[in-house]
Amino acid sequence: MPITISVLLENRLNASAQNSLRAKAGLSLLIQDKNDSILFDTGPDDSFLHNAALMGIDLPPLTAVVLSHGHYDHCGGVPWLAENCRIVCHPLVAKKRYSAVRFSGFTARIKKLSLNNDYSRYRMEYSSTPLHLGERFIWSGEIPVAHPSAYGVIGEKNATVDYVKDEGVLIYKSDRGLVIFIGCGHRGLIDIVHHCQRITGINHIHALFGGFHLRSASPRKLWAIRQFLHDLNPDKIMGCHCTGKWGSLWLPNSVTPATGDVYVLG
């Protein structure tokens, strides 16, 4: 069964895209098969709706909106969603978090990374465990990581290190293997793939699609990921958003989706 992926928002525009489309730091994908329609992330504001209209896409009744995690560039468009729509995400999605520098027991907050969204307007399904969405879609729930990377702090008073535990991914069980949609990849591409394989019992990866958070990764980390992907041998690698040009250089035979692109995967 094929799926159609419409890139409603991504960091850059395709060279052939109409100029009135918006490209901003963030991600929003509309993913559809014949049974279900999932909006994966909403970008930082209403740009996903603006771009959908220009792309000739009238957002259908959605099976669910999936929020990969609580950073503003992935959940900022929530206020523009229809009232009472179904939103699936991790229980920690609304926690306040900041980029920060920590030294000698002191935390210097640099930038707020979360938003004060009013989630009471929606049918919220908070889940840290895997959850089936429709016939072939699965919310991964929390992704276990033995040695997670820190990305700022979470909370206000007595702030703690933010390992972005709320980041999950959307899995599609295609006839050709798993298609894994990743918001930012804070939990690490290798651990994400292993988790998806474990909870589905399917080892072959048809496609990896989304942000892999490699734009400033070290050569050592990138070499390890390159070797992992060589052994994994996915059919398609489609890195956008925070994957970055530097990260993409290390990804074998990768494609870089852009705002306005539409893909059909078998």
Side-chain angles (χ1 to χ4, degrees), residues 169-217:
V169 299
L170 179 66
I171 306 165
Y172 184 77
K173 295 170 67 175
S174 82
D175 295 334
R176 298 185 180 183
L178 299 181
V179 181
I180 304 174
F181 296 96
I182 303 170
C184 246
H186 293 292
R187 300 297 281 175
L189 189 60
I190 297 173
D191 285 301
I192 288 170
V193 171
H194 284 159
H195 177 68
C196 294
Q197 290 172 322
R198 185 166 53 250
I199 65 175
T200 62
I202 298 171
N203 287 325
H204 183 67
I205 307 301
H206 181 44
L208 298 169
F209 196 121
F212 304 157
H213 217 277
L214 301 176
R215 60 191 172 197
S216 58

